[in-house]
Amino acid sequence: MKNLGIDRDTGDIYIGSRDRHPEHLQQAPVFPVQVFGDLVGAISGPEMDSFTISEYVFQELSFDPLSQIRRGYVWRKMDSQPQYWGHPPRQDAGLITFQYQGFLGILEGKLPSQVMFTFGSPSNFTIGELVHFEPDAIGQELLTIKMRPQFGFLPRLKKGVLEEDELGRVATALNDVVLGYRSSPPASVIDRCRDALTVFLSIELKTTGVDLGQLIKKFDAVNNNRRSVVANLAHTVSRLHARAKPAETDYPPVSDRQAELAVGAVAEVLISLRWAEWAPG
């Protein structure tokens, strides 16, 4: 049985076992990871122990920055720590040791419709969603995970287009969207996008204290009931927000795909209102 070991003094990573010569990994990142089979109200980063090691780690085999696809294996920390493998060049090195963990074992044999991962630390982490897993030639389950982008998913606001107080309201709403997208489950991301669109239309229509549904109707009326991109996208996010409610039983739970759609709607509404522009590629 293979193990993964991390030298707590040097940070070197080994794969192998105590009765076989371990292989020293070259350029193979290992990240703390936490797995969520049932989404909760908030997503948290991996918890650390006194060795600053999480219960599970993810051995990354590849990452494509364009598609944001990450592939690799999950390992689970063994109970007795550290362990001494007697590996060269330091025979007495103590390794924080992990054993391979079958993916369904993490989920207690159940495969829900959506599985989320967090990578990093309790307060600073990234989020990904499982899109595929398959056993390789030696029976280990190779995971394919779609990561959420952390930067560049919203356009930049133009200078001089909004009044100072309006700019402050928009910037605050966008900051909430960014923070939510980086650290929240899909339903919360959609909520933040709905709040942002409410702020945008309130400013555009010079109206306060009106919910998004009424703002959409008023925006349509101002535009002679010609449904625009702005109104269509705002209506879409409004419906996604409603879909996340417990009373909406005719639809599957919202996933990262709907969260991405909501964030994309926020971006396009900013562009369509001519308040923002994409940074030059």
Side-chain angles (χ1 to χ4, degrees):
M1 176 65 69
K2 277 188 174 183
N3 294 116
L4 183 148
I6 302 176
D7 189 320
R8 59 179 179 175
D9 294 325
T10 68
D12 290 337
I13 299 171
Y14 297 84
I15 284 187
S17 61
R18 283 167 294 189
D19 58 347
R20 296 181 182 179
H21 183 75
E23 175 188 353
H24 186 193
L25 291 184
Q26 298 291 334
Q27 299 180 344
V30 173
F31 299 93
V33 67
Q34 186 165 347
V35 184
F36 295 87
D38 294 313
L39 290 185
V40 293
I43 295 177
S44 58
E47 297 182 0
M48 304 295 185
D49 64 11
S50 58
F51 294 113
T52 321
I53 296 292
S54 60
E55 181 178 2
Y56 296 98
V57 295
F58 182 82
Q59 175 198 356
E60 181 181 287
L61 300 185
S62 65
F63 176 70
D64 181 357
L66 294 179
S67 65
Q68 296 288 307
I69 291 294
R70 171 178 273 174
R71 307 187 81 196
Y73 303 107
V74 171
W75 301 77
R76 182 174 185 173
K77 186 176 64 176
M78 299 181 72
D79 293 334
S80 177
Q81 300 291 346
Q83 297 194 12
Y84 297 89
W85 293 20
H87 65 80
R90 298 171 61 241
Q91 300 291 333
D92 60 345
L95 302 184
I96 308 300
T97 303
F98 297 79
Q99 61 187 1
Y100 167 72
Q101 174 64 63
F103 182 59
L104 289 179
I106 302 174
L107 301 173
E108 299 180 347
K110 301 176 183 178
L111 185 61
S113 60
Q114 184 178 19
V115 181
M116 306 292 293
F117 298 78
T118 57
F119 301 83
S121 67
S123 60
N124 184 14
F125 57 89
T126 56
I127 296 178
E129 181 182 6
L130 180 72
V131 295
H132 190 58
F133 74 100
E134 57 195 343
D136 62 15
I138 61 174
Q140 292 186 187
E141 291 164 340
L142 179 63
L143 308 183
T144 301
I145 300 167
K146 177 71 165 60
M147 301 299 297
R148 287 184 189 172
Q150 294 296 297
F151 302 99
F153 53 85
L154 288 176
R156 63 185 183 187
L157 296 174
K158 295 179 181 179
K159 295 181 179 179
V161 175
L162 296 168
E163 299 294 334
E164 185 173 349
D165 64 321
E166 296 172 341
L167 181 61
R169 292 170 60 195
V170 170
T172 298
L174 291 180
N175 186 59
D176 289 342
V177 172
V178 170
L179 292 178
Y181 196 51
R182 288 178 177 169
S183 62
S184 299
S188 295
V189 176
I190 294 169
D191 286 348
R192 301 293 77 75
C193 292
R194 179 180 181 273
D195 293 343
L197 291 172
T198 301
V199 170
F200 300 168
L201 291 187
S202 295
I203 292 172
E204 177 69 11
L205 298 169
K206 309 296 182 185
T207 301
T208 59
V210 181
D211 66 23
L212 184 57
Q214 293 300 315
L215 288 168
I216 293 169
K217 293 178 180 178
K218 185 171 182 178
F219 189 88
D220 277 339
V222 169
N223 288 277
N224 298 318
N225 291 318
R226 294 194 300 262
R227 181 59 64 88
S228 66
V229 169
V230 170
N232 278 328
L233 290 175
H235 181 72
T236 297
V237 173
S238 179
R239 290 306 307 149
L240 290 176
H241 168 80
R243 186 184 295 186
K245 302 303 179 184
E248 293 281 343
T249 58
D250 295 334
Y251 298 98
V254 293
S255 73
D256 249 25
R257 302 300 181 272
Q258 283 81 37
E260 289 175 358
L261 176 59
V263 172
V266 168
E268 184 54 36
V269 166
L270 287 171
I271 297 294
S272 295
L273 292 174
R274 296 181 172 83
W275 294 356
E277 58 189 358
W278 291 108

